[in-house]
């Protein structure tokens, strides 16, 4: 019996290692492809692209913050009070209560 568990564990470990190797190979191929595609971009162009990305991101985040705090539009989410339903405050059916108690405490 111990042998079967060990075999299952070994198969699972082999499958896990196979999956990890596959993912690492995919990552390596992707990195090589990206390196080939971007090797002709100059450092100045990288700086311009980075600055553009930062300006666009900061502008969008500033707009989101301003839009959420301005309150000019109607709120998308509304808060409604929670109300108790009527059956919570009324006592339950005695027949139903006795059936539940009998089924819970019945010894078999």
């Amino acid at each position: 019996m111990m042998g079967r568990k060990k075999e299952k564990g070994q198969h699972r470990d082999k499958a896990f290692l196979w999956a990890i190797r596959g993912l690492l190979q995919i990552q390596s191929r992707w990195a090589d492809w990206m390196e080939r595609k971007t090797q002709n971009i100059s450092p100045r162009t990288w700086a311009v692209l980075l600055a553009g990305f930062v300006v666009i991101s900061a502008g969008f985040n500033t707009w989101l913050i301003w839009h959420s705090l301005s309150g000019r539009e109607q709120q998308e989410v509304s808060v409604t009070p929670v109300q108790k339903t009527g059956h919570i405050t009324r006592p339950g059916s005695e027949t139903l209560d006795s059936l539940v108690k009998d089924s819970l405490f019945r010894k078999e």
Side-chain angles (χ1 to χ4, degrees), residues 11-67:
H11 290 300
R12 185 179 63 229
D13 291 344
K14 285 181 182 178
F16 185 68
L17 290 174
W18 178 81
I20 289 175
R21 282 189 197 112
L23 287 173
L24 289 175
Q25 189 175 26
I26 290 170
Q27 286 178 347
S28 177
R29 286 180 184 172
W30 175 259
D32 291 341
W33 183 81
M34 290 297 291
E35 184 69 31
R36 285 193 313 271
K37 294 295 180 185
T38 60
Q39 67 186 1
N40 296 330
I41 298 177
S42 70
R44 181 182 169 127
T45 305
W46 278 119
V48 169
L49 289 172
L50 177 62
F53 175 76
V54 169
V55 167
I56 290 171
S57 298
F60 182 70
N61 287 326
T62 303
W63 176 79
L64 280 176
I65 292 169
W66 176 80
H67 185 69

Side-chain angles (χ1 to χ4, degrees), residues 73-84:
E73 292 185 17
Q74 184 179 1
Q75 296 292 326
E76 297 291 327
V77 178
S78 62
V79 178
T80 57
V82 177
Q83 298 177 353
K84 284 186 178 180

